[in-house]
């Protein structure tokens, strides 16, 4: 069964980018809890982050509300960056 937080993040991000097919959201377990890694086309990274990080903050707040008490962490990455 898919994680509802992951689905919401993917839906929100895909709705604001020019290349929605390049949006890839993955959940990772870390020592600090669950981390959602959002990969987008390099041309869309600025759109996802927004002016002074406002769009990214809004996405994080919505995802955090869905995730519940534990909250959530989101990392926005362009698809060209290697990890």
């Amino acid at each position: 069964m898919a994680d509802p937080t992951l689905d919401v993040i993917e839906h929100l991000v895909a709705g604001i980018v020019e290349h929605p097919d390049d949006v890839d959201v993955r959940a990772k377990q870390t020592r600090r809890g669950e981390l959602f890694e959002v990969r987008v086309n390099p041309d869309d990274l600025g759109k996802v982050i927004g002016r002074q990080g406002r769009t990214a903050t809004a996405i994080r707040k919505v995802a955090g509300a869905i995730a519940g008490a534990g909250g959530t962490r989101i990392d926005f990455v362009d698809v060209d960056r290697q990890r």
Side-chain angles (χ1 to χ4, degrees):
M1 185 172 179
D3 184 347
T5 306
L6 188 136
D7 292 340
V8 168
I9 294 169
E10 186 170 0
H11 180 74
L12 288 172
V13 173
I16 61 174
V17 297
E18 294 289 325
H19 305 93
D21 294 337
D22 290 344
V23 174
D24 181 34
V25 182
R26 298 179 187 168
K28 293 183 175 184
Q29 282 302 120
T30 66
R31 280 183 267 155
R32 293 179 52 199
E34 191 167 36
L35 168 70
F36 292 97
E37 186 175 85
V38 180
R39 292 184 175 271
V40 297
N41 187 293
D43 296 335
D44 292 328
L45 191 57
K47 260 188 182 170
V48 174
I49 294 172
R51 290 187 182 188
Q52 297 180 348
R54 289 186 183 124
T55 305
T57 300
I59 293 169
R60 285 182 176 112
K61 284 184 181 183
V62 170
I66 292 168
T72 186
R73 294 179 324 133
I74 302 175
D75 186 17
F76 297 98
V77 180
D78 70 51
V79 292
D80 290 340
R81 192 170 107 189
Q82 296 292 322
R83 279 209 150 194

